[in-house]
Each structure stands twice: as structure tokens, then as C-alpha cells.
Amino acid sequence: MWIEDYALIGDMQSAALVGRNGSIDWLCLPRFDSPSCFGALLGDKKNGQWWIGPAHAERPRATRRRYRGETLVLESEWDTPTGTVRVTDFMPTRHTNPDLVRIVEGVSGTVEMATEIRIRFDYGRIVPWVRRDEDILQAVGGPDSVWLHSPVPLEGGDYAHHATFTVSEGDSMAFVFTWHPSHEPRPDEIDPHHQLAETEALWAEWVEKCTYRGPWRDAVVRSLITLKALTYAPTGGIVAAPTTSLPEDIGGVRNWDYRYCWLRDATMTLDALIGAGYLDEARAWRAWLLRAIAGRAQDLQIMYGVAGERRLTELELDWLPGYENSRPVRIGNGAVEQLQLDVYGEVMNSLHLSRVSGLEADHRAWTLQFELISYVEQHWGDPDEGLWEVRGPRRHFVHSKVMCWVALDRAVKQVEAFGKPGPLKHWKELRDRIHAEICDKGFDPVRGTFTQSYGSQELDAALLLIPIVGFLPPEDPRVVGTVEAIQRELMVDGFVLRYPVSPDNDVDGLPGGEGAFLACSFWLAEALAMIGRKDEAVELFERLLALRNDVGLLAEEYDPRYKRLVGNFPQAFSHVPLIHTARALS
């Protein structure tokens, strides 16, 4: 299946991807970054999969599917020659153990159904020991154990369990899959129908808080729900995506693990949530941040585990063939060791926005910000790997310098607006010095545009953020020139590339190409609106909305060559600028 054939369900601690054909091909338990127990997404059914659908050799796609209202409860329906059947998939809010519920309902007529489940722990590597006891299947492998409560008898064979059954109009049959540590006693059973009602009610209550009332409300709300689903509830951390190693280039090597909390992605997500009225999430994220980066400012990482873990060693899983043979499959992320100066600006901006939005003061937060600014003062002039986590040589990336300016600017605003203690005059002078250097060394007066790095001729879509973060006003000719240059030189088939990827440009140090990062095209739409070209902005924005799959989800990139979504899915870094752009255009 294509990446866009999947829908997301989750319990704000982990998530599953459900295909249009009724197959769950990805689920990691008990956390987003745990090893998978269903891993067919990165291989085939032998790596773990749970399918339910009409009994047919071809496993037909659902005739239609949708989320039930403004929730994360998924409904898939099949029309067959003998009747219509519905499968409702969801993960209830977690109590003690994570549960996954699949309810099969007869809508009309009578339909012969089938299910096949292959449980594989440790990313498809461990075939568990399985035993059956009447309607219960238990699988154990190392630290993992799952219990499957089935309303129909399951027969074993070929390292899988199968069943066929019929449903008629009015019938309802619930399957409940529960994970728990293998050394603990059997977990308590849940009432699936009660949990369904409770899950719907919780999502409805959460969505009611949304303050956005613009013309693209459906798209914004679905994106907000997706971002909330990527929040790790116990700590407040926010993962970039629930998947690893979905390729940026089909068949290529640009396959990364995104099941961690990038400070950049998390702060942008927080901005979107705050702008929609969700201060509770801001409070939880700030607490997570203070815990995660506690210590010396020079030890700040660009990403952490969902509970604030720092060691995210990158490994390759050589037993998995990868999505459509895109190798290697990676877990962990080596970019954790990189210097990315822009994150200091992202964190400072986010904490400032939290205060402006009404979040109560926290003296620890200002102590942290003071330390971060001290580090920026000492290192803003250093080259770094930049926003895009290049694996080539470090450079003086213009966007990184701009975000160092943002860090100083937000510190100044905190002192001026909230009376925070700090060397105001000194910070203002340093802010102005950074600004002057960027305009001198990062701007090409001949072409009338800012460039990717000092002295380079290349462009970078991150330069579109210059007016958005307030570095220069939108009407400044240098801003207009940059927006127009990016539109002219980085747009391919109507979508914006991050930067030129070609054999003679070694900026990222990796072979092969990639799709167009959707965030970049959203940034262009917002920038076009800011420089007075709103009709173009709206046209581009609505074209981007059309790329969402049938349930409103976006991956990291879109590849216009194949007209497919690519990259990890669903991706916070795509849904966040969707929300920002909708608000800007509204």
C-alpha cells in the first residue's frame, strides 16, 4: 500500500497505522519509540500484521472510510455483493495497559469475514510463543506479552492465527488486543463498547476548546487532532511522527526515525496548539522541556526521547527490507549529536509565546532562558548543521543566524514586557550586531535575495521564515526578492524544495533525491500572503490541502514525480504549518 493509504489511531502514548484494506501494519508498544509488534509497514506480513476484512483472497480496499466526527475513531466500510460491513478501529485512553479495539458490525445483509493476525516482537524479529485458551490468544516473547480477546475461534498455522466468520445486519463483534510486560499478571479486561463511547466523548470535549473559526476549520481541526495524537501524555513530549524509516525517496537511503521529540518540531507544534486555544498542552510541554534540558546550556540537544532521554543511538535493522525496498531501516537518530543553532531561537520564541498567551510565570523557565542566551552569545558565530540536519560539512546557514537573532529578540521582549532581569542594553546591541551581519554576509545584492549560507549562491526554503519570525517586515524589498527568488528557483511542479539537491551540491552529504517538503510550500503560501499576494497564497494553500489523504493526513513530503506522499507519516512538521497558514489566510 502507498503511504497515503494509511489512517492513524492512537492513545497519546503510541499509535497504529491502519490500511485501507483493513490491515494494521504498524504498532509499537508501549510507547511511540518502542519496538514494533506489527511491522509489515517496513517489510511484509511476516514482520507482523493484523488484518480484518471481507473473506477474499485479494483483501479488497474499503469502499469508504472516515473518522467518526471530530475524533480519532476510524470507521472503514466494505460494500460486498451480499451486504455491507463496518470495522471500527480505535485505541482507548490508556488506564493501565495499552489496548487496541476492532469492532466488526453488520450494516446490511450478511457478509463472510476473515481475520489473520501475526504478532512479531522487536521489529519483526521475534516470533513469540503463543497459546490459546477458549476465546483468548496469548503471545509472549522476551519482555513483551499480548492478549487477544476474540469473539470467534482462532486457528493456528504458518506462524499466524486465522478465522472466518459471518456478520449480519445488527451484529457487533469486538476484538480487543492488550499489551503488557510479560512478567506481570494477566491484564484486566476492558468493555470495548464502553471504551468506544468514552473515547468519542474525550475527543469531542477536547475539540470543543478549539478557538479557530476560519474557512478551513475541518482541515485545521483534523490537523490539531493529529498533533494531539502525537503528544506523549505522561510527560507532555511531542513526537515528530509515529513512524521510522518511511523514505523521502522511494528506494533510497533517506530513511530516518522520527519517533522522538525534536525541540524545533515540538515548539512549532506548541505554537499551533496555543494559537488554537490549548494552553494546557503548552503548560505540559514547558514542564517536559524544563526536565528534558535540565543541566548545562551547552549540553542542549536538538531532540530527546518522549520522557526526555538523551541517548538515541542510531542503528540499522538489517533483517527488515524497508518500505518498498527502501534501505536501510533505522532506529535511533544520529542527528542527535548535531549542532543546530536554530533550536535556541525556536525554544525562546515558544516560551515567549507561552507567556504572551497567558501561561503563568515559572522562575525556572527564565533561569533556563538566561542560560540559553548566554550560550547563543558565545556561539552564534559558529557554523552548524542547520535546520535540515545536513550530513555534509557545517556551514554558516543564514536561517540558523536568523534564529539566533530571534533568541535575542525574544529575550529582550521578555525583559521589556514582563520585567525579567537581564542585561537589556547588551542584549539589544548583540541582537543588532547579528542582524547587521546577516544582512551583510547572507544577502546577495546582485540577485536581490538572501542565500542558504554565507557566500553561497544556493537558496533555501527556510529563508521564507524571515518575515514570519519578524526579522524583517514583509514589505522590505529584500524579503520580497527572497520570496520571489524561491518561488522562481526552488519550485518544481508547483511545490517548493528545501534546497537544490544535485550531484554538484554537497550540502546534505547524501546520495539520491527527495520529495518536496510540504512545510516549505506552506511557508511560501504564508509568505505570499504577507507580501500582498493573497490570491496566489490561497490557490497554493488549497492545492496543498488537496494532497491530504482521504482522512485528512499528510506525510512529510510529496513527490511530484510519482504523485505520492513520501516520508514519515503522519508528520507534525506538515500539519503545523497547515494550521499556521490557515490562520494567516483567515
Side-chain angles (χ1 to χ4, degrees):
M1 282 186 292
W2 287 9
I3 290 170
E4 51 263 63
D5 286 325
Y6 289 100
L8 178 78
I9 59 173
D11 63 0
M12 288 168 283
Q13 295 193 44
S14 186
L17 293 189
V18 186
R20 287 192 195 219
N21 66 352
S23 175
I24 295 178
D25 289 347
W26 184 251
L27 174 62
C28 298
L29 291 174
R31 307 193 329 177
F32 290 107
D33 57 350
S34 298
S36 66
C37 52
F38 297 133
L41 181 71
L42 299 178
D44 57 32
K45 65 182 183 181
K46 293 191 296 294
N47 302 118
Q49 182 186 72
W50 184 10
W51 170 73
I52 298 178
H56 191 284
E58 299 301 321
R59 294 190 177 183
R61 293 150 117 22
T63 309
R64 58 194 159 271
R65 64 178 181 171
R66 60 187 173 272
Y67 284 112
R68 184 177 289 186
E70 295 175 331
T71 74
L72 206 63
V73 176
L74 179 70
E75 295 182 336
S76 304
E77 293 183 349
W78 286 263
D79 294 335
T80 76
T82 61
T84 297
V85 66
R86 176 188 303 128
V87 176
T88 300
D89 292 312
F90 69 101
M91 294 178 69
T93 300
R94 195 173 302 187
H95 300 290
T96 302
N97 300 293
D99 298 292
L100 188 156
V101 179
R102 314 195 74 181
I103 300 176
V104 183
E105 300 172 274
V107 177
S108 66
T110 298
V111 181
E112 185 180 11
M113 297 289 289
T115 185
E116 177 181 278
I117 184 167
R118 295 173 185 267
I119 302 166
R120 299 290 186 271
F121 297 127
D122 194 24
Y123 301 105
R125 195 175 193 180
I126 296 176
V127 179
W129 173 79
V130 179
R131 68 181 180 88
R132 286 175 292 162
D133 182 7
E134 296 181 352
D135 65 337
I136 299 173
L137 193 75
Q138 184 195 15
V140 177
D144 300 293
S145 178
V146 297
W147 296 74
L148 175 63
H149 294 264
S150 171
V152 296
L154 296 166
E155 297 296 329
D158 190 27
Y159 298 101
H161 283 78
H162 319 256
T164 57
F165 54 100
T166 59
V167 291
S168 300
E169 182 176 346
D171 289 346
S172 179
M173 308 174 73
F175 296 79
V176 180
F177 178 97
T178 304
W179 179 95
H180 76 122
S182 60
H183 65 277
E184 292 186 356
R186 175 175 169 172
D188 294 334
E189 295 183 35
I190 64 168
D191 180 334
H193 293 94
H194 173 75
Q195 291 299 320
L196 174 59
E198 186 175 273
T199 300
E200 286 189 81
L202 287 171
W203 279 110
E205 181 181 354
W206 188 80
V207 169
E208 275 185 6
K209 300 176 184 177
C210 178
T211 58
Y212 176 80
R213 296 292 183 268
W216 297 285
R217 188 178 186 281
D218 288 348
V220 168
V221 168
R222 180 49 55 191
S223 291
L224 287 167
I225 290 172
T226 303
L227 297 180
K228 179 65 172 174
L230 298 179
T231 302
Y232 186 67
T235 66
I238 303 170
V239 298
T243 57
T244 179
S245 299
L246 290 181
E248 297 172 11
D249 182 26
I250 300 294
V253 301
R254 297 169 185 260
N255 317 316
W256 315 110
D257 194 346
Y258 276 14
R259 300 170 299 157
Y260 305 113
C261 302
W262 270 255
L263 295 187
R264 177 189 309 111
D265 294 42
T267 53
M268 290 181 175
T269 299
L270 188 68
D271 292 351
L273 290 167
I274 288 175
Y278 292 101
L279 277 185
D280 287 345
E281 283 70 19
R283 188 176 293 105
W285 179 85
R286 185 176 68 180
W288 173 86
L289 176 71
L290 295 175
R291 294 191 304 270
I293 67 178
R296 301 181 304 171
Q298 59 264 39
D299 296 330
L300 181 77
Q301 297 184 178
I302 65 164
M303 73 178 87
Y304 298 85
V306 294
E309 297 88 350
R310 299 190 177 207
R311 191 172 293 113
L312 309 177
T313 305
E314 186 173 300
L315 303 171
E316 296 182 3
L317 307 185
D318 57 8
W319 63 88
L320 286 174
Y323 178 85
E324 294 193 14
N325 294 311
S326 302
R327 290 180 173 141
V329 171
R330 296 182 175 94
I331 59 171
N333 200 307
V336 71
E337 304 291 341
Q338 290 188 353
L339 174 65
Q340 297 177 21
L341 291 170
D342 66 291
V343 300
Y344 292 87
E346 297 287 0
V347 170
M348 290 295 296
N349 181 61
S350 182
L351 291 172
H352 175 66
L353 178 62
S354 298
R355 288 291 288 119
V356 170
S357 300
L359 198 64
E360 64 277 3
D362 185 318
H363 73 278
R364 297 173 303 165
W366 181 245
T367 300
L368 168 67
Q369 291 174 83
F370 204 101
E371 290 294 321
L372 296 181
I373 289 301
S374 297
Y375 184 85
V376 170
E377 181 177 357
Q378 298 171 33
H379 296 280
W380 72 268
D382 296 345
D384 72 338
E385 278 89 2
L387 164 77
W388 302 122
E389 301 178 357
V390 299
R391 301 207 173 190
R394 288 183 175 180
R395 288 172 166 79
H396 291 281
F397 288 105
V398 171
H399 174 260
S400 295
K401 308 298 186 189
V402 168
M403 294 310 295
C404 288
W405 175 90
V406 168
L408 267 297
D409 181 71
R410 297 333 185 239
V412 167
K413 285 179 167 59
Q414 290 268 40
V415 173
E416 293 178 334
F418 302 109
K420 296 293 186 182
L424 183 61
K425 182 175 182 293
H426 173 65
W427 283 350
K428 283 185 172 180
E429 290 174 350
L430 179 57
R431 178 185 65 177
D432 294 344
R433 182 150 57 94
I434 296 173
H435 196 283
E437 180 180 292
I438 294 169
C439 292
D440 176 45
K441 296 183 178 181
F443 183 75
D444 182 347
V446 176
R447 295 159 65 205
T449 180
F450 285 95
T451 59
Q452 183 177 53
S453 59
Y454 288 175
S456 74
Q457 295 296 306
E458 307 294 350
L459 297 178
D460 190 317
L463 301 170
L464 294 166
L465 296 171
I466 285 175
I468 295 172
V469 301
F471 181 80
L472 285 172
E475 64 273 12
D476 190 294
R478 292 168 292 185
V479 169
V480 175
T482 300
V483 173
E484 292 178 343
I486 289 173
Q487 189 177 26
R488 182 174 60 250
E489 298 182 30
L490 286 186
M491 285 197 83
V492 175
D493 296 324
F495 302 98
V496 182
L497 301 178
R498 294 188 296 173
Y499 47 79
V501 177
S502 60
D504 58 351
N505 180 23
D506 65 345
V507 66
D508 63 15
L510 292 167
E514 64 182 16
F517 268 65
L518 293 171
C520 301
S521 296
F522 282 117
W523 293 341
L524 177 60
E526 186 169 355
L528 286 170
M530 294 181 77
I531 67 173
R533 293 161 59 178
K534 187 172 181 180
D535 289 345
E536 285 181 69
V538 171
E539 187 276 331
L540 174 57
F541 181 63
E542 292 187 338
R543 183 150 45 84
L544 292 169
L545 291 184
L547 299 180
R548 295 174 301 149
N549 73 356
D550 58 313
V551 290
L553 302 181
L554 288 170
E556 183 178 37
E557 303 176 27
Y558 179 76
D559 195 326
R561 297 172 299 176
Y562 310 119
K563 295 181 170 50
R564 294 179 60 178
L565 293 176
V566 292
N568 283 301
F569 175 87
Q571 174 64 250
F573 205 51
S574 297
H575 285 279
V576 166
L578 183 159
I579 296 167
H580 280 300
T581 307
R583 289 173 53 206
L585 296 181
S586 297

